[in-house]
Amino acid sequence: MVAQAEQAAYRNEQDGSFDPARWVAQRSNPSKYVHNTVDVLKELMRLGWMERHALPSSPRSAYAHAHVTFEATAAGRAWTELVERDPLAGYNALVGVLLDVHPQFEGFLRLVGARPDSTTNHLTVPLLRYEGSTHGDHDEFLHAFVNHVVEAVRQGDLGWTAEPDTVRRALHGYVDAAVRRAETRAEHLARSEKPARQSSVLTRKRSAALCEEAAVRLAFTSAGCPMDYISHELLRRWCRFLGLANFSYYAPGPHALRLWATGTVCGRGSAVSFTRRVGPDFRNKALAALPRIWRDGLGRSGVMYHPVWQVRAAVCWDQRISDDEFDAALATAYRGEVPELGFGIHLDEASLVRIPASARPFSLKGRVFHVMRLEDSYQEEEVAVP
């Protein structure tokens, strides 16, 4: 599993930060990934792809299982052969099995618009940025956050709804309980003999994070699919990888976490089928929409260049497509494969702002381009990057 993580880190490295020595150190620690490995084995057993066997309950007890051989079932061996032979077919088959085993997985797909019975094509969680000049402390920020969410729900178009009192109780209840737990842990550390780093129980970042967690839980519960924040994080990443849904914190509009379907999943189990918003037609539509999105949203700021990840979020949200489709569309335009594009694209390696953790850089021909701008007419010297 560590080797797989190392390979993924190497494939996704864009800025020269990959460090082989780090992974040597990871493999030398026999208790480093025990919990992760146990979770993987549990899931394989749950899917019916691994014979059931006792698992270590903690890193300390892992040594007792060091010589155990975990046997794959016939179904597990069949899926392994399929995913090695045809990765797309293998992951499509995985979706069918996950739909049978995990109700939350199906619920997530339904809420973002990826199931035939979906009643909306997105789910939006309103958020609020912690502004030090406006919000003096945690209590002031929480008060402002709750009122902001209440108003956003009142305005509608979130993919879910709730009564104002329900919103207030849910947000206050979640955040207040988390703060009490943090204070209890801090008091315990203060009384312990071990020296502990003195830090504030609630930094601005932690305060905003707790409010986001509370809002995400409220949104999914109100929409009929209760889940915790970590489960939602796993599902949104998996669905992005599987080409079924996308998400962004940076799409145009009020600050929010937006999740939307990029395809439709019909059936379940071995009878699952897919319709994904991928391919030349969707890429051409994304390029055709780009000038409008630039003019009506991004262009209003008067800034000549914008981060590629920001433009990507705007286009993907507008067209309900994945990040990969936007990157593919941008690459075809750069290569001159859209002769009647009607505008030029200039890419630059300069970086205006730090790339958010939930986004990724745009890489082309081994180079990372951080910003872009549109030109009114196609100019070869603007498109061709030296």
Side-chain angles (χ1 to χ4, degrees):
M1 190 183 71
V2 177
Q4 181 77 5
E6 181 181 10
Q7 292 173 18
Y10 178 76
R11 289 194 304 269
N12 295 328
E13 183 270 321
Q14 302 282 358
D15 56 4
S17 60
F18 179 78
D19 181 10
R22 170 177 177 252
W23 294 98
V24 172
Q26 302 284 35
R27 280 192 290 271
S28 67
N29 186 343
S31 62
K32 179 69 175 179
Y33 290 110
V34 171
H35 288 302
N36 306 74
T37 305
V38 168
D39 287 342
V40 170
L41 291 170
K42 280 182 179 178
E43 182 64 16
L44 288 169
M45 293 175 189
R46 189 179 294 116
L47 296 176
W49 291 350
M50 185 78 72
E51 298 290 353
R52 293 193 172 275
H53 196 285
L55 293 167
S57 58
S58 69
R60 290 184 177 180
S61 62
Y63 74 92
H65 301 258
H67 303 291
V68 173
T69 298
F70 294 92
E71 298 286 350
T73 63
R77 290 191 294 271
W79 183 80
T80 301
E81 294 171 358
L82 175 61
V83 79
E84 289 180 343
R85 183 175 67 253
D86 186 346
L88 177 59
Y91 282 110
N92 282 344
L94 173 61
V95 172
V97 178
L98 290 174
L99 285 169
D100 281 341
V101 175
H102 292 291
Q104 279 189 332
F105 179 60
E106 180 172 22
F108 182 93
L109 292 175
R110 175 174 48 81
L111 295 187
V112 301
R115 292 290 278 174
D117 61 341
S118 296
T119 58
T120 181
N121 63 2
H122 75 284
L123 186 137
T124 297
V125 182
L127 301 175
L128 187 65
R129 292 185 173 89
Y130 199 128
E131 303 289 349
S133 59
T134 304
H135 311 118
D137 56 21
H138 166 73
D139 290 336
E140 288 187 14
F141 176 73
L142 177 58
H143 178 75
F145 184 87
V146 171
N147 290 337
H148 174 72
V149 175
V150 168
E151 177 60 21
V153 172
R154 186 191 67 79
Q155 293 179 8
D157 195 30
L158 300 178
W160 61 279
T161 188
E163 293 297 322
D165 287 345
T166 301
V167 174
R168 293 189 176 93
R169 284 196 303 271
L171 298 182
H172 275 291
Y174 184 96
V175 175
D176 292 346
V179 171
R180 287 195 297 271
R181 290 194 299 271
E183 290 174 341
T184 300
R185 286 195 299 269
E187 291 172 1
H188 175 73
L189 288 172
R191 291 194 300 267
S192 68
E193 296 180 0
K194 296 180 180 180
R197 290 186 302 173
Q198 297 297 319
S199 61
S200 173
V201 172
L202 273 181
T203 62
R204 292 179 180 179
K205 182 177 181 179
R206 182 55 181 157
S207 180
L210 286 177
C211 288
E212 178 183 338
E213 292 174 14
V216 166
R217 184 164 184 158
L218 167 66
F220 278 94
T221 300
S222 299
C225 182
M227 70 176 67
D228 59 79
Y229 186 80
I230 298 299
S231 296
H232 130 270
E233 274 198 313
L234 292 172
L235 284 169
R236 76 187 191 186
R237 293 175 186 174
W238 260 103
C239 287
R240 173 186 275 180
F241 170 77
L242 294 167
L244 304 176
N246 200 358
F247 71 92
S248 178
Y249 290 91
Y250 305 101
H255 183 40
L257 167 61
R258 294 175 172 84
L259 307 104
W260 63 91
T262 57
T264 303
V265 186
C266 298
R268 59 176 59 250
S270 59
V272 70
S273 62
F274 303 85
T275 302
R276 291 182 173 91
R277 298 175 63 84
V278 298
D281 288 345
F282 290 103
R283 295 169 191 174
N284 289 337
K285 289 178 181 178
L287 289 173
L290 183 51
R292 169 181 56 80
I293 296 169
W294 186 279
R295 180 185 64 251
D296 296 344
L298 301 170
R300 289 183 177 180
S301 64
V303 177
M304 182 177 296
Y305 284 91
H306 285 282
V308 177
W309 56 263
Q310 189 179 60
V311 181
R312 180 196 290 132
V315 173
C316 289
W317 167 249
D318 182 86
Q319 295 292 299
R320 299 298 195 266
I321 59 174
S322 68
D323 290 0
D324 288 338
E325 287 306 292
F326 172 85
D327 287 1
L330 197 59
T332 59
Y334 165 77
R335 292 193 297 263
E337 297 174 4
V338 189
E340 298 181 2
L341 187 60
F343 58 91
I345 297 175
H346 179 65
L347 301 171
D348 200 288
E349 294 174 286
S351 181
L352 296 177
V353 293
R354 184 178 179 181
I355 299 175
S358 61
R360 67 183 185 189
F362 175 70
S363 179
L364 193 60
K365 294 188 175 181
R367 297 172 64 184
V368 177
F369 297 102
H370 295 285
V371 296
M372 63 178 287
R373 78 167 186 257
L374 297 191
E375 297 293 331
D376 291 336
S377 60
Y378 185 94
Q379 299 177 32
E380 184 65 26
E381 66 270 20
E382 291 292 346
V383 177
V385 178

